[in-house]
Amino acid sequence: MDRSRIFQIASLLLTYPDDELLAAGDELRAAARGVDGFETFLDWMLTTSPIEVQREYVRTFDLRRRSGLYLTYYLHGDTRKRGMALLMLKQRYRAHGLRLADGELPDLLPVVLEFAATAGPGDGEAPLRQHRQGIELLRAALHETRTPYASVLDVVGELLPQLTDADREALTALAVDGPPVETVGLEQVGLGPDLAPYAACGNAEVSR
């Protein structure tokens, strides 16, 4: 399966499992055939009650600070740098004709994956490469809680550059200290998401 198709499927599987997504189970199975991580996830999603799947999504991504889907937060916290990173992402999307839904932030992982799928390996995958550390922290947190969503992140991670020694050192620091804290700057550039800090990952999870 080509990279674009994998990123597109991952984008869908990481969105809220509403009735429309759950009803597309047969199509999703067909599209994901041959990708073990996706098949494992779909085996769970399509054999579990819809309400429990939805509860798992909310527990995993909305109620746990350390496993949010907003990538710039892992690196920048609520700082001016995050505001600028969000603006740069919006400008990159606009240059490729991608428009965000009202209230949708450009660093939401399903959006970043959709952009990678549509814009291609070069410019399209650049945001994934830039936020490789955040994706790894998210993947580690999902494995720690043993959520089925971890298998989706494993598939995504396999297509990204390998972590360097510098990446691992940065991840260890983020795991201990968390992201920077500075609750100013976002409103000044028109981006003010109310996201709480995530709890620190354990060093063992970072080193996986």
Side-chain angles (χ1 to χ4, degrees):
M1 188 184 298
D2 64 74
R3 298 170 66 88
S4 294
R5 175 66 69 84
I6 289 176
F7 288 138
Q8 186 65 57
I9 295 171
S11 175
L12 290 171
L13 298 183
L14 291 172
T15 58
Y16 180 76
D18 57 16
D19 293 342
E20 183 178 1
L21 182 67
L22 295 172
D26 291 341
E27 292 86 347
L28 289 170
R29 279 192 186 277
R33 188 171 294 118
V35 181
D36 291 344
F38 289 163
E39 290 183 332
T40 297
F41 175 80
L42 287 168
D43 285 343
W44 167 80
M45 188 180 84
L46 300 177
T47 58
T48 304
S49 68
I51 189 64
E52 183 54 37
V53 174
Q54 292 167 350
R55 285 174 177 166
E56 178 65 20
Y57 186 93
V58 172
R59 282 194 299 262
T60 299
F61 298 120
D62 295 340
L63 300 182
R64 291 177 179 141
R65 294 175 178 179
R66 65 188 301 174
S67 56
L69 289 171
Y70 297 93
L71 296 181
T72 61
Y73 189 78
Y74 289 93
L75 184 60
H76 300 302
D78 278 333
T79 65
R80 291 180 178 86
K81 287 184 177 180
R82 187 185 180 201
M84 293 308 299
L86 290 169
L87 280 176
M88 291 177 65
L89 271 176
K90 288 185 71 173
Q91 291 169 356
R92 184 187 294 270
Y93 294 167
R94 189 177 297 117
H96 286 268
L98 178 64
R99 294 291 185 267
L100 299 174
D102 290 342
E104 190 172 53
L105 291 178
D107 64 337
L108 184 68
L109 182 53
V111 175
V112 177
L113 289 165
E114 179 185 354
F115 180 66
T118 56
D123 204 35
E125 293 183 24
L128 290 173
R129 295 191 296 269
Q130 291 165 358
H131 293 284
R132 179 69 178 90
Q133 294 174 12
I135 291 171
E136 183 62 19
L137 282 172
L138 172 58
R139 188 195 68 82
L142 297 183
H143 273 285
E144 186 176 86
T145 57
R146 300 183 183 276
T147 175
Y149 282 96
S151 62
V152 179
L153 263 291
D154 286 343
V155 175
V156 172
E158 288 174 1
L159 296 184
L160 299 180
Q162 292 293 312
L163 293 169
T164 65
D165 290 340
D167 287 331
R168 295 186 182 281
E169 290 178 6
L171 286 168
T172 299
L174 283 171
V176 173
D177 300 329
V181 177
E182 177 188 283
T183 57
V184 296
L186 297 180
E187 291 79 5
Q188 296 175 5
V189 294
L191 294 164
D194 184 15
L195 297 177
Y198 70 93
C201 298
N203 288 341
E205 285 297 322
V206 171
S207 64
R208 283 187 180 181

